[in-house]
Amino acid sequence: MSDSAVLNRKGVLDVADKDGQFRRQTSQFRNFVTPDSNSAFPPEKDRYALYIHLGCPWAHRTSIVRTLKGLDDIIQLIVLDAMDPAKSWYFSGDGE
């Protein structure tokens, strides 16, 4: 099997430009929860949930932003259980 076939099987060539360099694409998610009741995503209690895993290096940031923006009562926080090699990240239902 050629080197390019091995790389493509892993998906590397699917996200790289023709020169082989990865360039991040512009995010397609540009909608926000706003105070405007006419917006696409108005703040509604029990409408949104933030799922985080404490093993994720970005999880604490999303939790902090949720608190700083005063969305604790609007966005439910769900923390996944510790990583189990057999189950990966999983939901046990404990603490909910």
Side-chain angles (χ1 to χ4, degrees), residues 35-93:
D36 181 8
S37 61
N38 295 322
S39 72
F41 301 100
E44 279 182 32
K45 185 169 176 51
D46 299 326
R47 181 176 184 176
Y48 307 103
L50 174 61
Y51 294 84
I52 66 170
H53 187 279
L54 298 178
C56 172
W58 296 279
H60 73 285
R61 295 176 188 171
T62 59
S63 180
I64 289 169
V65 169
R66 173 181 162 265
T67 300
L68 289 175
K69 289 189 169 273
L71 296 171
D72 298 70
D73 294 334
I74 302 294
I75 301 175
Q76 178 185 9
L77 179 65
I78 300 171
V79 180
L80 281 73
D81 293 288
M83 191 168 184
D84 178 336
K87 298 178 184 175
S88 189
W89 295 0
Y90 67 100
F91 300 91
S92 70

